Amino acid sequence: MDENQTNRIKQILLKIGHLVGLFIAMAIICLPGLWIVLSSLRPTVEIMAKPPVWIPESLSFDAYIAMFSGVGQGGIPVLDYFRNSIIISVTSTVIALAIGLAGGYAFARYRFRGKTAIFLGFMLTRTVPGIALSLPLFFVYAKLGIIDTHFGLIIAYVALNVPFTVWLIDGFFRQVPRDLAEAAQIDGCTRWQAFWQVEFPLARSGIASAGIFAFLISWNEFALASQLTRSTNSKTLPVGLLDYTAEFTIDWRGMCALAVVMIIPALTLTFIVQKHLVSGLTSGAVKG
Amino acid sequence: MNKLLTGVSAGVVLLMAGGTALAQELPGKFEGVTIDAKLIGGQQYEALYSRISEWEKATGATVNVISKKNHFELDKEIKSDIAVGAISWCVGSNHSSFAPQYPGIYTDLAALLPASEIDAFVDANIAASTLDGKLVMLPRAQFDVSAMYYQKSLYADEANKAKFKEKYGYDLTPPDTWEQVTDQAEFFANPPDFYGTQYAGKEEAINGRFYEMLRAEGGEYLDADGRPAINSEAGVRALNWFVELYKAKAVPAGTTNYLWDDLGQGFASGTVALNLDWPGWAGFFNDPGASKVAGNVGVVAPPKGSSGARTGWSGHHGFSVTESCANKEAAASLVWFLTNEENQKLEAGAGPLPTRDAVWTWVIEQAKDDPYRKEVLEAFQEAAKGAYPVPQSPSWIEISNAVYPELQAAILGDKTTQQALDDAAAKATAILEDAGEL
Amino acid sequence: MRGWKPAPHVLLLLPAFVVLAAVVVVPLLLSLYSSFTPFRLTRPETIYTFIGFRNYLRLFADQEFWVAFGRTVLLLTIALNLEMVLGLFLALLVEKATRGQRLLRTIMMFPMMFSPILVGFQFKFMFNDNIGLVNNALQSLGLTDRAIPWLIDSQLAFTSILIAEIWSSTSVFAIFILAGLMAMPREPLEAAKVDGCTPLQSFRYVTWPFIMPFAYIAMTIRSLDIARAYDIVKIMTDGGPAKRTEILWTLISRTAYSDARMGLANAMAYVAIFLSILFTILFFRQLAKARQQIGAEW
């Protein structure tokens, strides 16, 4: 009896400890983010106050209203940036996934010489710091005339994401037993049909997880975008953040408001896809 | 100048060259011409760009804004363009501190615009826009020089006055010399709640502030032969001003990581007594929605150094026309339009300082019923008298990057003042030698 | 003639090859070449002057460069290890939660939604010594009566950068390790319980070996992606004050664009690339080892 009781107390304590730990962890993760949201709603005089104003005295959507009120009236071309960001991120993610599918399938299903070396080589292209790449890339782009175009940035992001998508997708195909596709082929499917109807659906969650990573990387990328974009033709949201900085001033409140506009779509997407994400990573990369 | 008047034959233009008859013909007619432009972006610069459509209407040309970025990004972009030979655009935003880095890409505007128009600008601004005899940009109404902002209530407080007089032996009034700034900053400081003053502590900002102090102490950055001379006695005195305030904790401990935005926010938070800062902040500081010191802000001209001079490291924005531009006359006309009297009034009306004599008169006239605005303008006009641009060397930014960590090292106590300045001078000399300027 | 038909795997890998070659390899060769020239952006003709290894020799003799190099390695090592440990805790906490998994997982990934430059600004303002959130909070709570110079003191500044970096990237580890935890078969754990293992023991001998490969994947991906930290450091301190927080990337980008000395900067970049390659291969080998332990094929 006694032992049972101490056990129970121990369990309750553990549970409380767990909840407290969870709460603290989530608080640490969320607070800086919430601070940004809050900053976007408060007047500047309160954000940078000393002594600090902990409880907001007035909240308003002024920063958001200003942001959308048009260039010259305190606004920035946020709709253009948003459109560019969406087009560039989505297109580059889709292409990176397609290339990743092809590459991953090749790694998973075929045996060939130098496989590990090629695989590692793909990975290593990611180690190049953006700064070493930015000017030469700019040089090439300038010669091709694709500076400040969606196309240029899309291609750059595809290259950024391909190593990662190949890796993850490779892992997923390894998970799908070979016999399944073979059986389908015996049943009269072509290899192509077998792929789409049997192997692809099974690897879908892996593709979803590769997709969300690729999307988040493209959505938030700054270094290359700042070099390869110039005007509203192709400037993306992270580059647009700098519209709130001038030579001597910085509009932190406006920047926070834009940040919120940036985060909401990413968060929504993650919330929708995250179920696939976890199960995706699980069956994928490790066994690959 | 010649194609400014469409329909006039080259011969006639030649006959008239040197005369001022053409001056009235701006902006001219450029039917079907497209001008590619790179403009500096940012809230305070945008209002002007909405007027571009008027120029388009008047001239029949179109303006295609191919890039809009903040200053440092634009600088990076222009350098990249130079590097890959992609200067395919006509008009670019420029800045007097950056201009010397782009040798040769911008054309001489004095050859494209009538002299009477150029004469209408403040002489010092035109001088600062002229490199090797070429007028590389026309200044817009974004002229920057610093003045001293202070919290008025501190100086009105009787207890403060009495205590200060007792301790330092002279009356507490807004500072007129840098020595007084030191005294008052130490007097007001009460860390961590309140600081006497603050200064920009990194990048070109600290270098510029040091430069300003160096001149106030009677020193020179580059001597007559173009050699770095910062490790002079005056240099040591100048840098010691920063060091001593830091040691006395009269400035925020983080000041060596501050840039302009931190300084502005700091003064607006009401925790700093004295703040040498730019004209762009004047409105912000007095805006109750942004600043705690609104209504309590005073402005005086920058204090004098031991040389007796008020010195002002200054810069201004402007617009340039590229050498490779296919239609320089049209581009020059656009640059003229963006900096003409009417448009300078538009920009200066919102706070920034103009660069045309007539517009200076106009803003002062406008401010006669607004005591704060009047005080601001008077202080900055006085500051403008001692204003000078950075040395016109293509290596200035690079020197700045090498010198500022040394200045920081002295302020933070990693090195002695003399040693830091000797090291900085050695590095700056090496840079100039590498660049073939020495 | 039926013509030559390439093997299917060649065809499948071709798009990846083409894209990577066009966007990464060709530019890299260009920058490799320019590292042997005194190339200055503002004097384009200098790219045709070949100076051999002079840029590299200059770097090898440059003490400031090696200090920055060492600091970068230190930052990476500490950041990656701490992120892994914290990510592990976070994953364990979330995995144990019985309700709200979906929400918790989304929150866990919250920092990944923040663009690094935003993280930089955010933490710069928070760590401002005078009006920053952190000092304000500490002073309000009466924990200190000083203005702690977070971004000035060399150790504190390093720590502040570390905190920003860890905050923004621990999620990546957490999500991978969580994936590992969720994939773990239950039987070995129960067997361990029956054998009388304490929770700590079963974690050490059963759970950890299983999730280790996940941790290494995260490690590899992070080490690939590490230049992300550049945006954060650039905005928080830009390597200062007095070069106290200078890391390779801040040094390189200042040299490349602000000083316009692209040739020298590219030489530095090549040393940096070498460093990343080293880190990546190291993790990749660890990963292969860890994979073998759980019997997966490679």
Side-chain angles (χ1 to χ4, degrees):
Chain A
M1 240 357 228
D2 251 353
E3 202 176 321
N4 252 348
Q5 206 148 16
T6 48
N7 257 344
R8 192 183 285 163
I9 291 173
K10 226 166 136 188
Q11 279 213 321
I12 290 172
L13 280 180
L14 265 175
K15 188 148 192 182
I16 292 174
H18 170 243
L19 281 177
V20 170
L22 197 62
F23 180 78
I24 293 176
M26 290 299 148
I28 291 175
I29 290 173
C30 286
L31 278 180
L34 289 181
W35 184 60
I36 286 204
V37 177
L38 203 60
S39 296
S40 74
L41 298 172
R42 310 173 73 176
T44 314
V45 69
E46 274 187 31
I47 305 174
M48 301 288 174
K50 186 175 175 181
V53 184
W54 293 116
I55 297 155
E57 281 157 21
S58 63
L59 295 175
S60 73
F61 286 96
D62 289 356
Y64 296 89
I65 295 166
M67 180 163 59
F68 285 99
S69 61
V71 179
Q73 277 87 51
I76 59 166
V78 62
L79 294 176
D80 289 317
Y81 296 162
F82 204 88
R83 182 199 65 213
N84 294 333
S85 265
I86 289 274
I87 293 176
I88 290 168
S89 303
V90 170
T91 319
S92 69
T93 303
V94 169
I95 297 177
L97 283 179
I99 295 179
L101 265 174
Y105 192 77
F107 278 120
R109 285 288 186 263
Y110 296 91
R111 290 187 176 280
F112 48 92
R113 276 201 329 172
K115 196 163 156 181
T116 314
I118 295 175
F119 192 84
L120 196 59
F122 277 10
M123 289 294 133
L124 288 180
T125 58
R126 260 325 284 277
T127 64
V128 181
I131 192 75
L133 213 54
S134 61
L135 188 86
L137 198 59
F138 175 80
F139 186 85
V140 174
Y141 276 30
K143 296 284 169 217
L144 296 176
I146 52 172
I147 298 289
D148 199 23
T149 59
H150 290 157
F151 176 76
L153 214 53
I154 288 170
I155 288 297
Y157 288 168
V158 167
L160 215 58
N161 286 321
V162 155
F164 181 71
T165 53
V166 166
W167 186 7
L168 269 179
I169 293 171
D170 154 70
F172 280 93
F173 281 129
R174 271 159 204 274
Q175 263 244 313
V176 179
R178 274 161 201 265
D179 355 343
L180 273 181
E182 279 160 18
Q185 271 173 292
I186 290 166
D187 289 348
C189 286
T190 62
R191 178 137 202 185
W192 183 246
Q193 285 169 328
F195 171 77
W196 279 113
Q197 285 167 13
V198 182
E199 293 176 289
F200 179 76
L202 285 170
R204 207 158 45 189
S205 60
I207 295 157
S209 59
I212 186 96
F213 270 97
F215 179 83
L216 284 179
I217 285 172
S218 314
W219 186 255
N220 287 326
E221 205 280 337
F222 172 76
L224 285 177
S226 77
Q227 179 78 348
L228 301 176
T229 68
R230 308 198 135 183
S231 67
T232 47
N233 284 339
S234 72
K235 267 168 93 172
T236 55
L237 287 164
V239 184
L241 278 177
L242 288 188
D243 282 8
Y244 282 106
T245 62
E247 192 184 358
F248 299 125
T249 58
I250 174 171
D251 179 0
W252 177 233
R253 186 175 70 145
M255 220 186 229
C256 286
L258 183 58
V260 172
V261 171
M262 264 173 82
I263 288 166
I264 286 173
L267 203 62
T268 316
L269 191 74
T270 310
F271 187 72
I272 295 168
V273 186
Q274 54 86 29
K275 204 172 129 211
H276 295 288
L277 183 66
V278 169
S279 62
L281 289 174
T282 303
S283 34
V286 169
K287 296 188 184 146
Chain B
M1 185 189 318
N2 34 4
K3 278 189 203 141
L4 282 175
L5 271 176
T6 42
V8 176
S9 77
V12 176
V13 172
L14 271 179
L15 276 175
M16 295 171 80
T20 51
L22 290 178
Q24 282 74 42
E25 304 302 331
L26 282 165
K29 279 280 170 208
F30 305 99
E31 215 57 60
V33 173
T34 301
I35 298 287
D36 284 348
K38 289 192 176 208
L39 303 175
I40 177 169
Q43 294 305 344
Q44 73 180 103
Y45 312 118
E46 294 289 345
L48 177 62
Y49 306 147
S50 58
R51 298 286 273 272
I52 289 177
S53 58
E54 281 172 37
W55 181 80
E56 290 176 324
K57 220 181 289 163
T59 60
T62 34
V63 177
N64 181 19
V65 178
I66 56 165
S67 175
K68 211 187 259 177
K69 288 183 175 175
N70 82 13
H71 226 91
F72 301 97
E73 296 291 311
L74 197 64
D75 172 57
K76 208 169 130 182
E77 183 175 311
I78 291 172
K79 283 175 182 163
S80 303
D81 280 347
I82 297 174
V84 305
I87 315 243
S88 53
W89 35 279
C90 268
V91 170
S93 276
N94 206 346
H95 189 286
S96 56
S97 299
F98 288 94
Q101 294 184 94
Y102 323 129
I105 71 163
Y106 291 127
T107 195
D108 186 5
L109 288 166
L112 292 164
L113 293 166
S116 60
E117 275 301 322
I118 292 164
D119 287 343
F121 286 87
V122 176
D123 291 343
N125 295 140
I126 289 296
S129 306
T130 307
L131 296 176
D132 292 332
K134 277 189 352 187
L135 180 65
V136 294
M137 64 170 147
L138 222 45
R140 72 191 274 187
Q142 298 281 353
F143 170 63
D144 291 308
V145 65
S146 301
M148 188 61 96
Y149 293 90
Y150 64 94
Q151 290 195 26
K152 277 196 283 199
S153 57
L154 293 172
Y155 290 85
D157 184 287
E158 290 302 329
N160 273 350
K161 280 187 188 167
K163 249 194 281 172
F164 186 86
K165 177 93 188 237
E166 191 190 340
K167 190 163 175 198
Y168 296 95
Y170 62 95
D171 285 326
L172 178 64
T173 52
D176 192 49
T177 67
W178 284 112
E179 254 186 323
Q180 290 173 8
V181 174
T182 310
D183 289 346
Q184 295 177 5
E186 289 177 10
F187 175 75
F188 288 128
N190 177 27
D193 299 320
F194 200 81
Y195 297 96
T197 185
Q198 55 182 356
Y199 45 79
K202 66 177 174 186
E203 296 168 23
E204 199 208 356
I206 175 74
N207 194 37
R209 284 290 181 241
F210 167 72
Y211 180 24
E212 208 161 57
M213 193 62 71
L214 181 66
R215 295 265 299 234
E217 293 298 321
E220 270 302 332
Y221 207 99
L222 302 177
D223 66 15
D225 306 326
R227 295 197 156 271
I230 51 180
N231 52 345
S232 60
E233 244 177 76
V236 174
R237 270 203 310 277
L239 184 52
N240 271 337
W241 183 84
F242 297 90
V243 178
E244 277 163 21
L245 282 174
Y246 191 82
K247 269 198 199 139
K249 296 196 193 307
V251 292
T255 203
T256 47
N257 197 38
Y258 285 2
L259 269 183
W260 309 118
D261 55 305
D262 307 279
L263 299 174
Q265 301 287 5
F267 186 69
S269 77
T271 57
V272 178
L274 291 157
N275 182 39
L276 186 72
D277 220 323
W278 304 98
W281 288 101
F284 185 88
F285 290 152
N286 221 28
D287 168 11
S291 158
K292 279 204 158 176
V293 290
N296 186 25
V297 187
V299 195
V300 288
K304 293 180 204 155
S306 66
S307 72
R310 293 184 206 282
T311 57
W313 163 51
S314 72
H316 63 265
H317 293 248
F319 297 99
S320 300
V321 174
T322 57
E323 283 285 7
S324 56
C325 179
N327 200 328
K328 290 200 187 71
E329 288 76 16
S333 163
L334 174 62
V335 166
W336 165 82
F337 174 81
L338 290 171
T339 57
N340 72 10
E341 203 170 310
E342 192 191 339
N343 282 325
Q344 286 225 352
K345 281 178 184 168
L346 170 80
E347 287 210 275
L353 302 180
T355 50
R356 279 175 175 262
D357 296 315
V359 184
W360 265 109
T361 320
W362 178 82
V363 285
I364 289 168
E365 170 66 22
Q366 291 288 306
K368 67 175 187 295
D369 298 325
D370 179 349
Y372 175 69
R373 180 89 184 118
K374 199 164 157 246
E375 189 180 345
V376 169
L377 284 172
E378 277 166 2
F380 281 104
Q381 204 177 24
E382 180 67 25
K385 287 181 193 155
Y388 49 85
V390 298
Q392 292 180 334
S393 155
S395 304
W396 170 250
I397 298 287
E398 199 181 340
I399 290 176
S400 227
N401 285 337
V403 168
Y404 85 77
E406 301 296 335
L407 301 179
Q408 290 176 327
I411 293 168
L412 295 172
D414 291 358
K415 288 185 182 176
T416 66
T417 308
Q418 185 68 55
Q419 194 194 349
L421 288 175
D422 287 345
D423 292 352
K427 280 185 183 165
T429 309
I431 287 167
L432 287 170
E433 280 168 357
D434 276 0
E437 289 182 63
L438 274 181
Chain C
M1 209 168 107
R2 290 278 317 217
W4 173 75
K5 199 166 174 242
H9 68 263
V10 175
L11 219 54
L12 287 169
L13 284 174
L14 201 62
F17 262 113
V18 170
V19 169
L20 290 176
V23 180
V24 183
V25 179
V26 170
L28 264 190
L29 291 177
L30 266 173
S31 74
L32 180 65
Y33 166 76
S34 80
S35 74
F36 295 107
T37 67
F39 184 35
R40 270 172 198 268
L41 292 181
T42 46
R43 292 193 209 165
E45 71 283 358
T46 50
I47 198 166
Y48 302 110
T49 318
F50 190 79
I51 55 164
F53 283 94
R54 265 189 62 185
N55 283 330
Y56 289 93
L57 290 177
R58 192 179 255 209
L59 284 187
F60 285 116
D62 183 357
Q63 200 200 337
E64 277 170 10
F65 175 77
W66 289 108
V67 172
F69 186 92
R71 192 175 289 118
T72 312
V73 175
L74 191 69
L75 182 74
L76 287 193
T77 315
I78 300 180
L80 289 178
N81 282 300
L82 277 179
E83 280 166 20
M84 188 160 95
V85 174
L86 292 173
L88 177 67
F89 276 117
L90 193 58
L92 284 171
L93 281 173
V94 171
E95 201 251 349
K96 286 267 179 306
T98 42
R99 281 192 302 170
Q101 278 272 345
R102 197 163 170 180
L103 186 69
L104 284 177
R105 270 186 244 143
T106 309
I107 295 179
M108 194 172 82
M109 291 180 69
F110 191 43
M112 288 173 68
M113 322 281 144
F114 284 69
S115 185
I117 70 159
L118 189 65
V119 177
F121 278 115
Q122 182 188 347
F123 280 88
K124 183 184 127 177
F125 282 124
M126 285 173 55
F127 283 118
N128 180 302
D129 62 296
N130 186 14
I131 47 177
L133 196 66
V134 176
N135 272 355
N136 271 347
L138 291 177
Q139 286 164 14
S140 291
L141 295 172
L143 294 177
T144 179
D145 55 357
R146 288 181 337 118
I148 301 168
W150 288 106
L151 297 173
I152 304 301
D153 180 88
S154 37
Q155 260 131 45
L156 285 177
F158 190 79
T159 316
S160 307
I161 289 169
L162 212 55
I163 290 174
E165 165 60 25
I166 288 172
W167 180 81
S168 76
S169 297
T170 297
S171 307
V172 179
F173 282 87
I175 202 82
F176 276 86
I177 294 173
L178 183 63
L181 284 172
M182 304 199 47
M184 221 176 80
R186 300 286 128 185
E187 303 84 47
L189 265 183
E190 269 147 34
K193 217 173 185 177
V194 172
D195 290 348
C197 285
T198 65
L200 211 65
Q201 280 171 329
S202 53
F203 175 78
R204 170 72 189 79
Y205 295 104
V206 183
T207 313
W208 177 241
F210 191 86
I211 55 175
M212 205 159 61
F214 288 93
Y216 281 119
I217 290 180
M219 206 57 135
T220 318
I221 287 175
R222 284 286 300 129
S223 71
L224 293 175
D225 220 23
I226 196 72
R228 247 171 84 97
Y230 162 71
D231 296 325
I232 297 178
V233 180
K234 159 83 191 159
I235 288 162
M236 283 179 74
T237 64
D238 197 11
K243 297 195 179 268
R244 285 174 175 183
T245 56
E246 186 89 301
I247 57 169
L248 281 180
W249 305 296
T250 51
L251 184 64
I252 293 171
S253 71
R254 193 178 315 114
T255 312
Y257 287 103
S258 194
D259 293 354
R261 301 175 78 156
M262 195 45 95
L264 182 63
N266 277 333
M268 292 178 183
Y270 268 87
V271 181
I273 291 173
F274 181 69
L275 175 71
S276 330
I277 290 179
L278 215 68
F279 262 84
T280 309
I281 291 182
L282 199 76
F283 292 135
F284 199 75
R285 290 180 57 178
Q286 296 280 1
L287 175 65
K289 241 194 268 169
R291 273 174 169 169
Q292 269 168 8
Q293 278 192 359
I294 59 164
E297 165 223 8
W298 176 243

